[in-house]
């Protein structure tokens, strides 16, 4: 029998409270729409993720905390999709690797 | 492949209990440190794919097919579940990361797994996941050509009692006698 055991870890901060009244669903939808528009590069939609957490905090669905604690940096601006000019992640990685080799 | 990973349903009981796993209390991950961590100047991106499965009368789907991330960035992703029945249902989710080696670097800050979630009759709900990939993954020689990580969740119905207020509604599935494996004892895996 395969002895390899996959690593399964508990989330660091437990579970999100359920948004039973869909109070932050509209922001979630904006975020998802943004992802589609930017080739699924999450960094392009940073502001929407921030907004989502702020919404949760406002509606008591999340403990109030500094956004830094959720991994957001100061002055983070929405960027254009990093992968916009590439067919896929693989081509992006190859290009970056070659670029770094030339440095 | 799925069957092998999820065959041990009682695994959830290990995590379903109180806070400390194995009695240890871990310090909260300091995200500020992770975010500022510089590992070489490798400019690699990874595509995270999301899949789902529900072994109960819920529809359960990821709300985005994939998200492209750089290790060290905290990422928000969504799943959505809907209770198809006209009675409340309690579910518990487990997750799995592929490839297995990547699981070591996959860190969930907050999600909806391991703890019971109750959905009212016909209720539909957003299930967010906040995670990041540890930048140390870029130094793992086994994963140098890794472009894709798959995160899969599976929901099971929980054995728990539905709370007082919902007692008048009968359970969706009558609990059967499940085969219980003793998977873990005294800090060791038995299998």
């Amino acid at each position: 029998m395969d002895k390899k055991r996959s690593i399964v870890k508990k989330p660091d901060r437990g579970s999100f409270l359920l948004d039973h009244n869909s109070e932050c669903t509209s922001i979630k939808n904006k975020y998802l729409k943004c992802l589609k528009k930017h080739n699924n590069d999450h960094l392009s939609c940073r502001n929407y993720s921030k907004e989502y957490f702020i919404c949760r905090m406002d509606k008591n669905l999340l403990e109030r905390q500094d956004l830094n604690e959720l991994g957001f940096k100061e002055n983070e601006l929405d960027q254009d999709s990093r992968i916009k000019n590439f067919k896929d992640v693989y081509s992006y990685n190859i290009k970056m690797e070659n670029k770094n080799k030339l440095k | 492949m799925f069957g092998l990973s999820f065959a041990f349903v009682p695994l959830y009981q290990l995590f379903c209990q109180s806070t400390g796993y194995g009695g240890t209390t871990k310090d909260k991950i300091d995200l500020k440190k992770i975010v500022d961590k510089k590992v070489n100047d490798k400019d690699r991106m990874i595509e995270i794919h999301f899949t789902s499965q529900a072994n109960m009368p819920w529809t359960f789907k990821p709300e985005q097919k994939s998200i492209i991330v750089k290790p060290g960035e905290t990422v928000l992703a969504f799943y959505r579940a809907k209770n198809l029945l006209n009675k409340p249902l309690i579910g518990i989710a487990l997750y799995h990361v592929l490839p297995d080696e990547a699981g070591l670097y996959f860190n969930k800050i907050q999600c909806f797994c391991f703890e019971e979630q109750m959905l009212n009759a016909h209720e539909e709900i957003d299930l967010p996941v906040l995670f990041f990939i540890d930048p140390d993954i870029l130094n793992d020689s086994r994963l140098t050509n890794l472009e894709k990580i798959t995160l899969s969740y599976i929901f099971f119905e929980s054995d728990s009692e539905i709370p007082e207020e919902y007692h008048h509604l009968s359970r969706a599935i009558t609990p059967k006698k499940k085969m219980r494996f003793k998977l873990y004892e005294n800090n060791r895996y038995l299998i």
Side-chain angles (χ1 to χ4, degrees):
Chain A
M1 184 173 159
D2 189 21
K3 291 274 181 178
K4 190 163 73 169
R5 222 172 314 285
S6 55
I7 295 133
V8 168
K9 295 181 274 191
K10 237 179 124 168
D12 185 49
R13 306 208 192 138
S15 241
F16 276 114
L17 289 171
L18 291 186
D19 186 1
H20 286 286
N21 299 320
S22 301
E23 293 175 285
C24 298
T25 301
S26 54
I27 300 174
K28 176 202 77 166
N29 288 332
K30 283 197 227 159
Y31 174 68
L32 293 172
K33 217 162 140 183
C34 170
L35 278 181
K36 282 211 179 82
K37 199 167 119 191
H38 290 95
N39 315 101
N40 291 328
D41 184 353
H42 87 103
L43 211 65
S44 313
C45 306
R46 219 54 183 138
N47 278 337
Y48 290 120
S49 339
K50 262 195 218 172
E51 245 185 81
Y52 183 77
F53 287 113
I54 293 171
C55 170
R56 274 200 162 240
M57 288 190 236
D58 288 340
K59 315 277 178 187
N60 283 322
L61 291 169
L62 182 64
E63 188 184 285
R64 204 154 271 284
Q65 58 201 291
D66 201 25
L67 285 174
N68 291 335
E69 312 249 347
L70 292 165
F72 291 94
K73 293 203 257 240
E74 300 284 321
N75 302 325
E76 232 175 1
L77 295 165
D78 278 346
Q79 302 176 13
D80 209 357
S81 168
R82 293 169 286 192
I83 210 145
K84 186 171 69 162
N85 298 321
F86 298 89
K87 195 173 79 162
D88 52 27
V89 171
Y90 174 73
S91 357
Y92 174 95
N93 286 339
I94 296 283
K95 181 84 187 274
M96 290 300 140
E97 206 178 301
N98 291 335
K99 199 161 106 182
N100 286 332
K101 279 202 191 129
L102 293 172
K103 272 200 201 145
Chain B
M1 176 175 58
F2 262 124
L4 204 75
S5 317
F6 297 112
F8 304 113
V9 172
L11 185 68
Y12 73 73
Q13 286 189 321
L14 290 169
F15 298 101
C16 188
Q17 316 300 336
S18 56
T19 46
Y21 166 60
T24 55
T25 39
K26 230 176 44 166
D27 289 314
K28 239 164 73 155
I29 296 176
D30 188 351
L31 278 172
K32 285 176 245 178
K33 270 210 220 124
I34 303 273
V35 160
D36 290 332
K37 207 196 244 187
K38 288 223 186 323
V39 183
N40 316 316
D41 14 50
K42 291 205 185 135
D43 234 334
R44 281 188 78 83
M45 303 260 261
I46 299 180
E47 190 163 9
I48 315 287
H49 282 247
F50 302 91
T51 65
S52 62
Q53 195 176 321
N55 287 2
M56 53 192 292
W58 280 14
T59 55
F60 174 57
K61 295 246 139 68
E63 297 222 70
Q64 64 288 302
K65 212 162 97 168
S66 65
I67 296 186
I68 293 171
V69 315
K70 202 172 262 193
E73 295 170 349
T74 55
V75 188
L76 179 62
F78 287 94
Y79 278 78
R80 190 135 133 171
K82 180 172 176 150
N83 180 0
L84 299 171
L85 301 181
N86 53 11
K87 30 192 133 208
L89 212 49
I90 299 181
I92 259 203
L94 291 185
Y95 78 97
H96 186 64
V97 176
L98 288 167
D100 287 322
E101 294 85 356
L104 199 68
Y105 303 97
F106 192 91
N107 291 289
K108 285 182 296 92
I109 300 161
Q110 215 163 346
C111 66
F112 53 88
C113 48
F114 300 126
E115 283 176 32
E116 298 174 327
Q117 310 289 350
M118 188 179 91
L119 253 68
N120 295 308
H122 298 299
E123 182 176 16
E124 195 161 12
I125 203 123
D126 301 329
L127 296 167
V129 187
L130 181 64
F131 66 90
F132 67 93
I133 310 286
D134 193 323
D136 283 337
I137 201 176
L138 298 171
N139 289 335
D140 192 326
S141 51
R142 297 170 299 175
L143 299 169
T144 38
N145 295 317
L146 180 72
E147 249 89 43
K148 173 170 145 181
I149 290 178
T150 302
L151 175 65
S152 55
Y153 275 96
I154 178 166
F155 255 108
F156 297 96
E157 187 180 355
S158 164
D159 256 1
S160 292
E161 290 296 307
I162 305 241
E164 274 295 313
E165 308 86 87
Y166 301 98
H167 262 177
H168 62 289
L169 298 167
S170 54
R171 286 180 63 85
I173 299 171
T174 41
K176 297 178 279 219
K177 267 233 153 92
K178 287 193 194 128
M179 264 239 288
R180 300 251 175 228
F181 306 101
K182 208 159 189 190
L183 182 67
Y184 189 84
E185 193 179 30
N186 297 329
N187 285 326
R188 292 183 305 116
Y189 282 103
L190 299 176
I191 300 177

